[in-house]
Amino acid sequence: MKISQKLVLLFLFNGLIPTLAIGGFSYFNTQRSLDQQIQIQLRNTLARQSDKIDIVATQNIDTITLFALREQMRLILDHYDQTHQAADRQQLNAVLTTFQHDNRSLRRIHILDTNGAVISSSDPRLIGKSYAGTPVFAKGSAGIDVTLFFKDIDGVLGQYLTAPVFQNGHKIGVAIIENQVDSYLQVTSDYTDTGKTGETFLVGPASSGRPTQYLTPVRFNADAALTVYHATSQGAPKDYRNHPVLQLTKTIDSTGWTVGVKMDKAEVYAPVFQLRNLTIITIVVIAIAMALLGWFFPRRLSRRLTRFTAIATRIRDGSLGERVQVDSKDEIGTLATAFNDMTTGLLESHARLIASILGLSQGFIMANTDGTVITINDAARRLLKAPSAGSGPETMSALFHNVEQFDIAKYIKDCLEQKKPAEARDVTLEGAFFNIFLSPIMLDGQTRGVVVLLSDETEERILQRSRDEFFSIASHELRTPLTAIRGNTNMMLDYYKEQLKDPDLHSIVNDVYEASVRLIDIVNDFLDMSSLEQGKIAFVNAPFDIVATAKEAIIATEKAAADKKLTLRIAPPKEPLLPVVADHDRVRQILASMLDNAVKFTETGTITISFEPTAKATMRIHVTDPGRGIPPEAQKLLFHKFQQATGSILTRDNTSATGLGLYIGRLLAQGLHGTLDMTHTEVGKGTTFTLELPMGEATASVQSFIKVES
């Protein structure tokens, strides 16, 4: 049905309906609108009030949590739990006094032992009092709780904040704070937007079969706090005064409390009857006016809209040069002007988009769901070595027919069916390498086509290959002269001691020897890194005794450890271990690197290797040192080339490290189908690195070999 026809019927309908029917309809809509308005008002008020109460409750949870986690208090309480010295009580009292001074809203603070007896309190009169068997002690023993309210001997309302106190994973007591409730009362006594009868109320946690308990006073009953109200379950909701009300409630997640906002129905619906008569009169007047205009205005409006629709249809079909004639200054004329401006902007944007796509350095192709090409730029044609477009439509299959072993139709199908991007790397075409990225074009939840981006990686591949080859050749060429330097200086130190009696000369030769050894290690690291990154290392996996391999790694590292007076030990396994299935030499290399790393960053103590079989048939080898530890800001540097996870810029000089050990170790572990990670660290207390490798089935010979001594 046309708009003009709908408008005529609407005018006639309003003119013919009896006044009584119109009045009833108006009255119904007014009442419904008022209901919605009141519901919105109550909902907004409830949201505001519940948020305020939740914030106060969260602040109270933070207060008791902060107090229960105070390190000084827990240390003193732990010491008192072990010695029961009076001096500890005095120190606890001082801690409570300080905390209460910093938090003026707190009334009293108590610390209870695990039996519920008060051992320290900001009120000395309560020391020795037992809370055993009370709800506050039960809740505080179970966890952090702020849900209990109470009245003191003077009838003043207060709140318990309680939490268990732990030290080293062991519960050593319970903390109880008696808090003021001024913040809650300020929220519940805010009657903004609730009229003369509205109020906010806070009741205890909901529980099946239990009556409602008000936690705070209400507007018309100052003594309602902690009193029980038996709600009426039949008919409309009624409040504690037995007045019918409109109310909404919400549960506070952090405490389980229920916050409610309500207003008396008598106050809510008072304006309805006043609006009824006014609405009826207004509708009658408007109906007469619309009946007079019903024959003129719809016809004129519909003609202009019909022209508007026809032009919009042509623009949708691609005729972006179409314009709407502006023949008036009313809203339709303003809409026509805006529509013309939008079309002009759309035409300009379309031109810029096409120019941008054609000028992209990456290849760009847009296609329909059937694979027909809509747009393709010169970069894509160059990468695909495709000729210029002919007279007919191009297809994606035709564009990619020269690409070796690549099915573009399958990629497009998967991309469109799964409605998510797809990617193909290292696609080759006549010696060139490029990556392909596909993304579906979505509109109203439906796939309308696909966009394909092509990125040329040929130059990057050539550059990377040249860099790797240079790196490998240079490292090989360096190793030969360095080996000669190390051998000759070693012979001088061993067989020409008489000629090196001069301490300075002996020190120089020794420095040359140590430098050559260090350089050979660096070259070997470079060669390993290069081979691993190029995938040129073959791993020979076989079952072997991991404990014996760990001993071999210790032997390779014990001289460096002895120079620093460090001890290397193996924690004896609690039970016979299954063999590890991996490349024995590479595992020994990883363990030696882990031990060498631990020795470099440890000044004193014992470095331990321990073993942990897992349920997923893997073996975890832990190397734990009591060294410096790794600060949080430096941990992100772990396992990166030429990076050391340390907080000092001088560490590289102090440890003579290249920053390749962990990087090479992780690459080797991945090649062995395992992992290498840092599993624990603490600044000033040490670090644990863990190598995880697959285990195999135990055999009789291996099983007996693995039973090692401590």
Side-chain angles (χ1 to χ4, degrees):
M1 185 181 292
K2 297 181 179 180
I3 293 179
S4 60
Q5 296 173 336
K6 292 181 179 179
L7 289 174
V8 169
L9 290 177
L10 178 62
F11 293 148
L12 291 176
F13 180 80
N14 285 316
L16 297 176
I17 293 298
T19 303
L20 182 60
I22 295 177
F25 182 75
S26 175
Y27 176 79
F28 171 77
N29 281 320
T30 302
Q31 184 176 10
R32 184 176 60 180
S33 176
L34 181 61
D35 284 341
Q36 293 175 350
Q37 180 181 355
I38 294 301
Q39 288 294 326
I40 293 173
Q41 181 176 330
L42 290 177
R43 187 158 46 248
N44 292 339
T45 303
L46 177 63
R48 183 179 70 250
Q49 301 293 69
S50 61
D51 286 346
K52 290 180 180 178
I53 290 176
D54 190 29
I55 290 172
V56 175
T58 302
Q59 290 173 345
N60 289 336
I61 291 174
D62 292 343
T63 298
I64 187 62
T65 302
L66 178 63
F67 178 72
L69 293 177
R70 288 179 73 94
E71 183 69 17
Q72 181 184 11
M73 182 271 291
R74 291 189 293 124
L75 291 174
I76 298 173
L77 182 56
D78 184 44
H79 188 265
Y80 175 80
D81 185 52
Q82 300 174 13
T83 63
H84 290 80
Q85 293 183 2
D88 292 333
R89 285 191 174 191
Q90 295 176 356
Q91 293 182 23
L92 284 174
N93 289 338
V95 172
L96 301 189
T97 301
T98 301
F99 190 80
Q100 186 170 12
H101 182 269
D102 295 338
N103 299 269
R104 299 299 181 88
S105 64
L106 307 182
R107 297 168 63 178
R108 292 187 294 195
I109 309 175
H110 319 299
I111 297 179
L112 285 59
D113 61 18
T114 54
N115 296 320
V118 178
I119 61 176
S120 178
S121 174
S122 61
D123 187 349
R125 297 173 299 177
L126 297 181
I127 295 178
K129 178 182 176 180
S130 176
Y131 280 82
T134 63
V136 64
F137 178 70
K139 287 182 175 290
S141 298
I144 297 174
D145 185 82
V146 297
T147 63
L148 294 179
F149 282 71
F150 68 93
K151 285 185 179 180
D152 61 16
I153 192 173
D154 297 324
V156 178
L157 188 64
Q159 180 189 19
Y160 285 121
L161 315 180
T162 181
V165 181
F166 289 91
Q167 180 68 6
N168 298 325
H170 173 67
K171 184 167 69 177
I172 58 176
V174 175
I176 297 177
I177 294 177
E178 296 181 13
N179 191 33
Q180 298 179 8
V181 296
D182 295 346
S183 297
Y184 295 108
L185 297 180
Q186 184 178 1
V187 175
T188 57
S189 61
D190 180 6
Y191 307 126
T192 305
D193 298 330
T194 58
K196 297 179 180 179
T197 61
E199 55 186 309
T200 301
F201 56 88
L202 180 65
V203 299
S207 178
S208 177
R210 293 183 58 186
T212 301
Q213 181 186 36
Y214 287 106
L215 299 180
T216 56
V218 291
R219 186 171 187 176
F220 302 105
N221 186 356
D223 298 325
L226 301 184
T227 60
V228 173
Y229 166 64
H230 296 274
T232 302
S233 59
Q234 297 179 351
K238 295 183 180 181
D239 64 1
Y240 54 91
R241 299 176 297 160
N242 206 30
H243 288 188
V245 295
L246 294 176
Q247 71 177 28
L248 294 176
T249 61
K250 180 179 180 181
T251 300
I252 303 297
D253 294 336
S254 59
T255 60
W257 296 334
T258 298
V259 179
V261 178
K262 65 91 176 175
M263 291 179 65
D264 285 4
K265 282 190 174 182
E267 179 185 3
V268 171
Y269 294 120
V272 172
F273 301 104
Q274 299 175 3
L275 291 174
R276 179 184 57 189
N277 297 331
L278 179 61
T279 301
I280 292 175
I281 296 173
T282 303
I283 289 178
V284 170
V285 173
I286 293 176
I288 295 174
M290 287 192 298
L292 296 176
L293 297 174
W295 294 99
F296 170 75
F297 181 71
R299 285 186 171 80
R300 187 178 180 208
L301 177 62
S302 61
R303 287 197 300 269
R304 298 165 69 187
L305 291 178
T306 300
R307 294 198 304 269
F308 208 141
T309 303
I311 294 174
T313 302
R314 292 196 292 272
I315 291 175
R316 181 201 62 187
D317 294 336
S319 181
L320 299 180
E322 291 281 352
R323 295 294 182 270
V324 178
Q325 181 179 357
V326 181
D327 55 4
S328 66
K329 296 183 179 180
D330 57 9
E331 288 79 359
I332 298 296
T334 303
L335 178 61
T337 301
F339 188 85
N340 290 337
D341 293 342
M342 180 191 69
T343 306
T344 301
L346 182 62
L347 184 61
E348 294 174 353
S349 299
H350 181 265
R352 288 195 297 268
L353 177 61
I354 295 299
S356 299
I357 291 174
L358 296 177
L360 285 174
S361 60
Q362 291 183 321
F364 178 93
I365 307 174
M366 182 185 298
N368 290 327
T369 55
D370 60 359
T372 303
V373 176
I374 300 174
T375 301
I376 179 173
N377 66 355
D378 293 339
R381 291 190 183 278
R382 184 178 65 255
L383 288 174
L384 297 174
K385 297 179 171 54
S388 300
S391 57
E394 289 185 288
T395 64
M396 295 294 288
S397 299
L399 285 175
F400 283 82
H401 78 281
N402 290 328
V403 180
E404 305 165 8
Q405 298 180 349
F406 182 73
D407 188 356
I408 186 63
K410 180 179 181 302
Y411 273 87
I412 292 177
K413 180 181 178 182
D414 293 342
C415 179
L416 295 178
E417 289 180 351
Q418 299 177 12
K419 297 182 179 181
K420 62 181 182 180
E423 186 177 14
R425 289 187 171 275
D426 300 331
V427 179
T428 59
L429 175 61
E430 298 181 6
F433 295 87
F434 53 91
N435 299 332
I436 301 177
F437 180 83
L438 302 91
S439 179
I441 301 174
M442 306 295 298
L443 182 62
D444 298 330
Q446 300 295 322
T447 52
R448 304 295 184 179
V450 65
V451 170
V452 180
L453 294 177
L454 299 94
S455 176
D456 190 356
E457 303 292 328
T458 306
E459 293 186 5
E460 180 65 24
R461 280 297 195 90
I462 296 174
L463 179 62
Q464 180 64 35
R465 185 188 307 163
S466 300
R467 185 165 55 242
D468 292 341
E469 291 177 353
F470 170 79
F471 198 64
S472 179
I473 294 172
S475 299
H476 276 290
E477 293 300 323
L478 282 172
R479 187 156 56 176
T480 300
L482 288 174
T483 303
I485 294 173
R486 181 185 64 180
N488 290 332
T489 52
N490 189 35
M491 290 180 59
M492 293 172 65
L493 293 172
D494 290 344
Y495 299 105
Y496 295 95
K497 295 181 179 179
E498 293 298 326
Q499 288 83 349
L500 299 176
K501 289 183 178 181
D502 185 345
D504 293 337
L505 183 59
H506 185 278
S507 176
I508 292 172
V509 175
N510 187 67
D511 289 344
V512 173
Y513 171 74
E514 291 181 353
S516 65
V517 171
R518 179 59 189 152
L519 285 173
I520 290 175
D521 290 341
I522 293 174
V523 170
N524 288 334
D525 284 346
F526 286 168
L527 287 173
D528 284 343
M529 179 187 69
S530 178
S531 299
L532 284 167
E533 290 180 341
Q534 297 180 51
K536 295 182 178 179
I537 289 185
F539 297 92
V540 181
N541 296 332
F544 62 88
D545 177 7
I546 187 60
V547 179
T549 304
K551 289 185 176 182
E552 296 174 8
I554 286 180
I555 292 174
T557 318
E558 61 184 358
K559 182 180 183 304
D563 292 341
K564 299 183 69 173
K565 298 182 180 180
L566 301 174
T567 302
L568 306 178
R569 66 178 291 270
I570 294 178
K574 297 181 180 179
E575 58 185 20
L577 303 177
L578 291 175
V580 167
V581 179
D583 189 313
H584 170 269
D585 293 336
R586 294 303 180 182
V587 173
R588 180 179 58 194
Q589 178 182 351
I590 297 173
L591 292 177
S593 177
M594 294 168 68
L595 287 171
D596 182 64
N597 202 55
V599 168
K600 289 175 181 176
F601 296 99
T602 303
E603 304 303 328
T604 182
T606 299
I607 298 172
T608 303
I609 302 179
S610 57
F611 308 92
E612 178 191 0
T614 70
K616 56 182 181 179
T618 61
M619 175 69 68
R620 291 176 180 167
I621 304 102
H622 305 290
V623 176
T624 303
D625 66 73
R628 310 173 190 172
I630 303 174
E633 64 274 9
Q635 294 177 18
K636 61 184 179 181
L637 302 177
L638 289 174
F639 304 105
H640 291 279
K641 287 191 290 188
F642 309 113
Q643 297 289 345
Q644 301 176 49
T646 172
S648 172
I649 60 173
L650 300 177
T651 302
R652 187 180 304 280
D653 297 332
N654 294 338
T655 62
S656 300
T658 63
L660 289 175
L662 290 176
Y663 175 72
I664 293 174
R666 171 166 280 186
L667 292 180
L668 289 172
Q670 292 172 350
L672 297 170
H673 307 292
T675 60
L676 176 61
D677 293 291
M678 182 198 73
T679 52
H680 174 76
T681 188
E682 188 172 354
V683 176
K685 295 187 177 181
T687 302
T688 297
F689 283 89
T690 300
L691 172 64
E692 186 170 356
L693 297 170
M695 292 191 300
E697 296 294 335
T699 62
S701 59
V702 175
Q703 187 79 339
S704 61
F705 179 62
I706 292 176
K707 293 180 180 179
V708 299
E709 67 279 6
S710 300

